[in-house]
Amino acid sequence: MTELAEKIRLNLRKDNKGWKRWGPYLSERQWGTVREDYSVYGSTWDYVSHDMARSWAYRWGEDGIGGVSDNKQFLCIAFSFWNHQDKIVKERLYGLAGSEGNHGEDVKELYYYLDSTPTHSYMKMLYKYPHNEFPYKKIIDENSKRSRKDPEFEILQTGIFDNNEYFDIFIEYAKADESDMLIKVTAHNRGKKAAPLTILPTIWFRNTWSWGYENFKQRPILTGIANSQIEANHHLVGKYKFYIEDADELIFCENETNMERVFGKPNNTMYVKDGISNYVITGKDKYVNPNRIGSKAAAKFTKKIPAEGSVSIRLRFSQNKHSKPFTDFDEIFALRLQDAEDFYAEVQKNIQGEELKKIQRQAFAGMMWNKQFYYYNINEWINGDPKMPFEFKGRAYQRNHTWKHAYMANILSMPDKWEYPWFAAWDLAFHTLTLARIDPDFAKRQLAVILREYYMHPNGQLPAYEWNFSDVNPPVHAWATWKVYEIDKKNNGKGDILFLEKVFHKLLMNFTWWVNQKDEEGNNIFGGGFLGLDNIGVFDRNTQIPGVKLEQADATGWMAMYTLNMLRIACEISLERPVYQDMASKFFEHFLHIAGAINKPIKGNDLGLWDEGDQFYYDKLHAPNGETIFMKIRSYVGLIPLCAVEVLNEETLAKLPDFKRRLEWVLNNRPDLASLISRWHEPGKGETHLLSLLRGHRMKMVVKRMFDEAEFLSDYGLRSLSKCHDEHPYKFNMQGEMLSVKYTPAESDLSIMGGNSNWRGPIWFPINYLIIDAMLKFYEYYGDDFEIEYPTNSGNIMSIKDATMMVAQRLINIFMMNKTNQRPAMTGVDRFDNDPYFKDLYLFYEYFNGDNGAGLGAAHQCGWTGLVADLIDAVSEYSAVSTDLSKSLV
């Protein structure tokens, strides 16, 4: 069988070079980021606003619509549009700053990632642009009236898309080779009247020359040739030609800040960054360079698009000289599109149903498009550059000042390139599972890079996210490392032991940091603060309250899971390098001590985190008066310990005699610890052995609550907070202030951790996925003989696997058309279900309403919600062998 063309390109394995050198690495929002904030007191959202962005030359990255760049973002291409009604050219996607939205930052545009191969040999996205003036003011004014208790005001509610008065603009890329990229833009007028549209393919250099560094003293240059070509010359990127078919004209300016507009000071050049926009809007030549040279340029196409008609423009960006650059254009596009079809046909060969294939393919597309060049040298950022083009007074508030070693300049998978255009450590770990299914090398690289010495703190801590690197995210990287290894091994037939070993050593440092920093009493009960779960507690768990100590069920569960992940990795490496058996033994014993601590029986104030009466895990608070209080909130916090589970089979143990001998010695000589975990000497299905925090009875009790539709189980997955707290809020007196936790299925009505996400009721894919993965391990041990009731109180008795796959299907159903012809994720917007130009477009929201499945938070956060692609694979594989049950999954 002939190897697929995209597979051949992937097998070249040139990291982010070769076919991956050019990709969708621009951000969608560089303004309002920490990196661009040079204010004294850290007023990030105000320092560079959306209004300023068109006039401000960024320091650390670039943004644009449907854009691409090289892997260090020296040279960028993106698209701008003008509908002849707006007062500014649409150069970047608009949204509300964190202080403007009633639920935090919020993009207010309609755009969709439709396709991309892993090497970006073919890519496609869609941007919907109104005919009439974009409602910037209306969006701001309406949101300013709304409180946190109100839903967000979305662009479709402005009426700007009524009567189909908008353009569907498709942006496509197809590579002829590693350094030869064809680009097509097709604009459809969906309205019943002809409408004008100016399309501006724009090419520019990231400004590296204004900051006073010797190695960037040489300025790059763009030069126009006739109306058909722009030559780009950069001393690090090389020479490229941007071929343009039938442009009206070429326009040039500099990627330099408009000092006069931004600071009220004289400009350093006549032709500043917003020159092209000003020229297009006003028609005045003074804004652009008549000599057609500069560091930013655009080709101008002004079209009158007929009613329900379309126009296309064609471009080519290449290091190669082409006397006739468009002769083979359509042929190459067809080849790359066919490559993409062939590649995904192989990826999806076991999936039945076109709808599932569409959902999964767009999820993969979102993962590919959400790559970004992330650049942040904290030492330079804090101190300022040798030469600053604006006044820099230094920083009274030095954000991330303890991370001066950090120097990030990599292609990273972003949670969302508009709402979260910066890496988040635990988000990234979940991304890698989906990435591994189509590009395992990129997935492995993502896990390795965040553990490198210029990311990881010398003390072993991983950076959390750019607003506060010192915050603490759940330690899921060992789990993700093992999952990526398993996916890669299954798909390629051989495990990458070198990858495991490389990552294992760095994870050891991080594990040690956790033990030293987050186990305050040295008793194997851990804290850690909010741990990514924002407002899940009755108060901000990051807050240091004098005299109060919080011991966390989720932190302790995460660490138990971490030990088992490290144990499993050590065992796998030991099969080739037996010396690692000592490490496996170390993590086995550490797991036993954590299990002993979290499950410790009540004895005065010395107790674990398991509440025998409620049969559930809770956080525990030690008050200044010596009182110990269980924080009886039934939430994901109490489900995390379920995820600390691992299965080892007898065949593996037989190959690890030193580990097996030490393991059995501990179990025989420390019966106090052995009794706290599932009975080792009672092998399960297939002579397997189970390590978990929960024995059979406790596991059943937690699962009983978890699968109860009156508590955690929604029609669309597992809620983050039990619905029992709807009628029975948890109340707590905090030093005279009465605090409460109430079931809130949608957006947060509080400001804890910014208030732009909510863990008090909605459904979150990452925790659901972790629980599904854990339950399947329990099934691996227990087999079909261990039965549970699903849903609780339904009378339906089934195996763990059957119930788990039904939860997975509920999550998938969020995106599928239901019996009433609605997609739950799009609940409340009929157009998404019925309009032919909307209904096959999917948005992979940050989280989902716990009652109706409606999408919430960041609209395009494919990130960890991209895990739906993995669930589709799992359920499809399961349905193929369980035909009777598969009927009930739908």
Side-chain angles (χ1 to χ4, degrees):
M1 181 179 176
T2 304
E3 190 169 11
L4 298 175
E6 182 64 11
K7 284 274 192 180
I8 294 171
R9 290 189 281 268
L10 279 172
N11 288 338
L12 295 175
R13 299 189 182 186
K14 293 184 178 180
D15 297 328
N16 292 313
K17 303 179 182 68
W19 279 84
K20 294 181 184 177
R21 187 187 183 197
W22 294 91
Y25 307 142
L26 264 70
S27 179
E28 282 154 3
R29 177 178 59 81
Q30 187 67 15
W31 63 272
T33 61
V34 166
R35 281 154 288 150
E36 300 301 332
D37 175 17
Y38 280 84
S39 65
V40 177
Y41 295 104
S43 54
T44 301
W45 283 108
D46 302 320
Y47 190 70
V48 182
S49 65
H50 175 269
D51 182 58
M52 292 167 63
R54 68 180 182 277
S55 307
W56 180 282
Y58 297 127
R59 169 66 176 88
W60 297 98
E62 295 290 344
D63 57 21
I65 299 173
V68 297
S69 76
D70 65 277
N71 60 358
K72 293 300 177 185
Q73 207 167 95
F74 291 123
L75 180 54
C76 310
I77 297 171
F79 293 89
S80 302
F81 307 100
W82 185 47
N83 57 13
H84 297 242
Q85 299 292 322
D86 286 346
K87 295 180 176 62
I88 60 172
V89 167
K90 176 68 71 173
E91 293 182 276
R92 55 190 49 80
L93 298 168
Y94 174 70
L96 298 173
S99 56
E100 293 174 321
N102 62 327
H103 294 286
E105 66 266 31
D106 188 17
V107 67
K108 296 299 184 185
E109 302 268 18
L110 297 176
Y111 58 103
Y112 305 86
Y113 304 119
L114 302 179
D115 210 356
S116 179
T117 58
T119 64
H120 311 298
S121 57
Y122 177 77
M123 296 192 297
K124 184 178 183 179
M125 75 159 287
L126 167 64
Y127 172 59
K128 290 179 178 283
Y129 184 42
H131 289 175
N132 299 309
E133 185 175 354
F134 195 90
Y136 296 106
K137 187 175 185 303
K138 187 172 185 178
I139 288 170
I140 291 174
D141 290 347
E142 183 60 35
N143 274 282
S144 69
K145 301 173 188 175
R146 298 193 174 200
S147 73
R148 292 193 183 279
K149 296 184 182 295
D150 298 313
E152 296 169 356
F153 181 68
E154 304 296 354
I155 192 169
L156 284 175
Q157 296 171 273
T158 68
I160 194 71
F161 285 90
D162 290 355
N163 303 316
N164 280 356
E165 293 180 343
Y166 69 92
F167 303 101
D168 266 342
I169 304 172
F170 293 91
I171 301 168
E172 294 177 89
Y173 295 86
K175 293 180 184 177
D177 61 36
E178 294 179 359
S179 56
D180 189 357
M181 185 161 49
L182 285 61
I183 309 169
K184 180 166 60 175
V185 179
T186 305
H188 295 264
N189 179 358
R190 298 305 188 192
K192 296 189 179 299
K193 294 180 182 178
L197 176 66
T198 294
I199 304 172
L200 296 155
T202 305
I203 182 170
W204 73 99
F205 297 108
R206 177 166 58 86
N207 189 322
T208 57
W209 55 87
S210 294
W211 320 105
Y213 293 99
E214 190 64 29
N215 55 331
F216 288 107
K217 185 179 278 187
Q218 183 177 342
R219 289 176 63 116
I221 189 168
L222 299 168
T223 307
I225 302 172
N227 279 343
S228 60
Q229 191 179 140
I230 297 172
E231 188 173 275
N233 192 348
H234 191 288
H235 68 288
L236 294 176
V237 180
K239 287 187 177 181
Y240 278 82
K241 294 184 182 295
F242 195 28
Y243 298 102
I244 299 141
E245 187 178 47
D246 300 329
D248 301 338
E249 59 180 318
L250 305 182
I251 317 166
F252 291 77
C253 65
E254 300 291 342
N255 187 17
E256 299 266 16
T257 297
N258 184 338
M259 302 293 288
E260 183 178 329
R261 178 172 186 263
V262 176
F263 296 106
K265 297 181 178 182
N267 281 318
N268 300 322
T269 177
M270 291 178 62
Y271 312 113
V272 290
K273 180 179 176 180
D274 53 17
I276 291 172
S277 176
N278 290 338
Y279 170 73
V280 170
I281 297 294
T282 67
K284 294 180 180 179
D285 293 337
K286 67 178 183 177
Y287 294 112
V288 293
N289 193 329
N291 296 318
R292 302 208 301 179
I293 58 172
S295 49
K296 178 181 177 182
K300 182 168 173 277
F301 297 83
T302 296
K303 305 288 186 180
K304 185 86 167 182
I305 306 182
E308 300 180 336
S310 66
V311 298
S312 292
I313 65 169
R314 304 194 299 179
L315 312 154
R316 189 166 190 164
F317 177 70
S318 180
Q319 272 193 316
N320 309 321
K321 290 184 178 180
H322 296 279
S323 58
K324 296 181 179 179
F326 300 102
T327 300
D328 56 354
F329 188 96
D330 293 338
E331 179 185 353
I332 293 170
F333 245 93
L335 285 171
R336 293 296 90 84
L337 178 56
Q338 189 58 54
D339 288 349
E341 295 294 338
D342 293 343
F343 176 77
Y344 281 111
E346 175 66 20
V347 170
Q348 299 182 319
K349 61 186 177 185
N350 296 322
I351 297 173
Q352 300 296 316
E354 290 306 309
E355 186 178 21
L356 286 174
K357 290 180 180 179
K358 285 181 184 177
I359 295 167
Q360 189 187 58
R361 188 156 171 180
Q362 284 187 38
F364 284 135
M367 300 303 298
M368 293 294 99
W369 275 90
N370 267 306
K371 294 179 182 180
Q372 180 183 320
F373 174 68
Y374 185 83
Y375 183 34
Y376 194 14
N377 180 327
I378 291 183
N379 192 50
E380 287 182 2
W381 178 80
I382 285 177
N383 294 324
D385 299 304
K387 178 184 175 185
M388 305 287 283
F390 48 82
E391 186 177 7
F392 176 50
K393 299 178 181 178
R395 303 179 185 279
Y397 174 50
Q398 294 191 342
R399 192 187 300 274
N400 297 323
H401 68 278
T402 61
W403 293 76
K404 290 181 181 177
H405 71 285
Y407 184 2
M408 295 91 169
N410 300 94
I411 304 300
L412 297 178
S413 176
M414 295 291 117
D416 177 289
K417 291 200 297 188
W418 197 99
E419 301 204 29
Y420 298 96
W422 27 263
F423 76 91
W426 81 306
D427 299 53
L428 184 59
F430 287 105
H431 301 183
T432 60
L433 274 67
T434 307
L435 293 168
R437 295 194 176 276
I438 56 174
D439 191 352
D441 286 327
F442 182 69
K444 287 183 278 188
R445 183 178 172 84
Q446 294 294 285
L447 288 166
V449 74
I450 204 168
L451 293 165
R452 288 180 180 172
E453 59 277 7
Y454 43 87
Y455 282 72
M456 178 187 279
H457 198 279
N459 66 16
Q461 184 179 8
L462 293 183
Y465 47 90
E466 75 176 22
W467 293 87
N468 184 3
F469 277 180
S470 294
D471 218 330
V472 184
N473 280 173
V476 292
H477 288 78
W479 172 81
T481 296
W482 178 250
K483 292 297 293 182
V484 167
Y485 173 84
E486 282 190 309
I487 292 166
D488 184 34
K489 185 176 182 179
K490 180 180 178 182
N491 290 339
N492 295 312
K494 189 176 188 303
D496 188 348
I497 294 291
L498 287 176
F499 159 70
L500 275 188
E501 190 173 17
K502 179 180 179 180
V503 172
F504 183 80
H505 287 287
K506 294 296 184 71
L507 288 170
L508 277 175
M509 296 173 64
N510 179 244
F511 184 89
T512 303
W513 176 85
W514 269 91
V515 171
N516 289 338
Q517 297 294 320
K518 297 303 173 184
D519 179 8
E520 290 184 18
E521 304 296 326
N523 61 3
N524 293 297
I525 295 289
F526 291 82
F530 89 105
L531 284 177
L533 308 185
D534 293 11
N535 63 347
I536 204 164
V538 69
F539 52 82
D540 182 350
R541 297 193 299 172
N542 273 1
T543 303
Q544 296 295 316
I545 304 170
V548 173
K549 178 172 169 280
L550 186 68
E551 294 178 332
Q552 296 177 216
D554 56 339
T556 308
W558 288 124
M559 282 304 289
M561 176 178 148
Y562 202 168
T563 60
L564 292 179
N565 300 148
M566 293 294 277
L567 184 156
R568 192 66 189 86
I569 293 170
C571 286
E572 189 75 4
I573 301 172
S574 295
L575 295 173
E576 291 192 13
R577 296 169 178 77
V579 70
Y580 280 83
Q581 292 179 80
D582 284 349
M583 296 307 301
S585 299
K586 175 259 185 296
F587 284 109
F588 172 72
E589 291 190 45
H590 204 136
F591 169 74
L592 292 183
H593 287 292
I594 295 174
I598 195 172
N599 292 315
K600 205 168 192 176
I602 296 174
K603 187 179 180 182
N605 285 338
D606 183 17
L607 65 158
L609 302 180
W610 174 260
D611 184 279
E612 191 64 34
D614 285 2
Q615 299 282 291
F616 203 69
Y617 287 105
Y618 296 120
D619 284 352
K620 183 175 65 178
L621 184 144
H622 297 281
N625 62 3
E627 185 182 5
T628 298
I629 304 166
F630 268 130
M631 310 294 286
K632 293 196 174 186
I633 305 168
R634 293 210 283 274
S635 70
Y636 279 165
V637 166
L639 298 183
I640 296 301
L642 191 69
C643 300
V645 54
E646 189 54 72
V647 176
L648 295 176
N649 61 51
E650 194 62 38
E651 181 183 356
T652 298
L653 288 173
K655 295 175 183 177
L656 306 174
D658 292 345
F659 170 59
K660 185 177 182 181
R661 185 164 53 250
R662 177 63 182 168
L663 181 153
E664 291 183 343
W665 185 93
V666 171
L667 291 175
N668 290 331
N669 289 275
R670 289 295 306 270
D672 56 321
L673 295 178
S675 65
L676 289 165
I677 62 169
S678 297
R679 295 179 181 84
W680 184 263
H681 293 294
E682 293 180 10
K685 187 182 71 170
E687 294 297 299
T688 58
H689 299 280
L690 182 71
L691 288 168
S692 69
L693 290 181
L694 294 147
R695 289 177 289 178
H697 171 72
R698 285 189 178 180
M699 191 269 277
K700 275 197 172 184
M701 292 299 99
V702 171
V703 168
K704 182 178 180 180
R705 287 202 187 279
M706 188 171 73
F707 286 161
D708 189 339
E709 292 178 313
E711 293 212 38
F712 288 99
L713 184 62
S714 160
D715 287 342
Y716 307 100
L718 301 173
R719 303 178 177 102
S720 48
L721 187 75
S722 170
K723 198 169 183 178
C724 75
H725 292 302
D726 190 15
E727 295 184 5
H728 305 285
Y730 176 77
K731 296 182 179 180
F732 181 73
N733 190 318
M734 172 62 77
Q735 298 176 341
E737 181 183 2
M738 186 58 69
L739 305 176
S740 70
V741 172
K742 180 177 171 58
Y743 174 72
T744 310
E747 293 97 341
S748 175
D749 55 7
L750 301 169
S751 61
I752 293 178
M753 294 302 296
N756 60 342
S757 68
N758 181 28
W759 294 79
R760 294 186 174 183
I763 295 150
W764 292 77
F765 263 74
I767 305 300
N768 272 260
Y769 190 95
L770 276 169
I771 291 169
I772 287 169
D773 185 56
M775 293 296 287
L776 292 178
K777 287 182 181 177
F778 279 114
Y779 174 76
E780 184 182 347
Y781 174 74
Y782 286 116
D784 291 325
D785 294 336
F786 190 102
E787 294 183 318
I788 57 177
E789 187 180 27
Y790 178 91
T792 301
N793 300 321
S794 68
N796 299 323
I797 307 300
M798 61 186 69
S799 73
I800 297 171
K801 187 172 186 178
D802 292 345
T804 302
M805 287 295 102
M806 287 189 170
V807 174
Q809 185 64 53
R810 290 189 184 211
L811 290 158
I812 296 168
N813 288 346
I814 289 173
F815 302 98
M816 296 188 70
M817 197 72 79
N818 60 23
K819 293 177 181 178
T820 60
N821 291 320
Q822 292 179 312
R823 300 187 195 281
M826 310 300 188
T827 294
V829 185
D830 291 340
R831 193 163 197 169
F832 288 144
D833 298 321
N834 304 314
D835 190 316
Y837 302 127
F838 280 84
K839 68 183 182 68
D840 289 329
L841 304 172
Y842 303 94
L843 291 174
F844 299 90
Y845 291 87
E846 186 178 3
Y847 54 103
F848 300 87
N849 187 301
D851 288 340
N852 60 28
L856 302 166
H860 300 79
Q861 174 153 335
C862 197
W864 55 25
T865 303
L867 289 166
V868 68
D870 299 63
L871 295 178
I872 288 171
D873 266 356
V875 170
S876 296
E877 184 178 324
Y878 171 71
S879 298
V881 297
S882 303
T883 52
D884 291 338
L885 188 74
S886 67
K887 296 174 184 176
S888 63
L889 287 175
V890 180

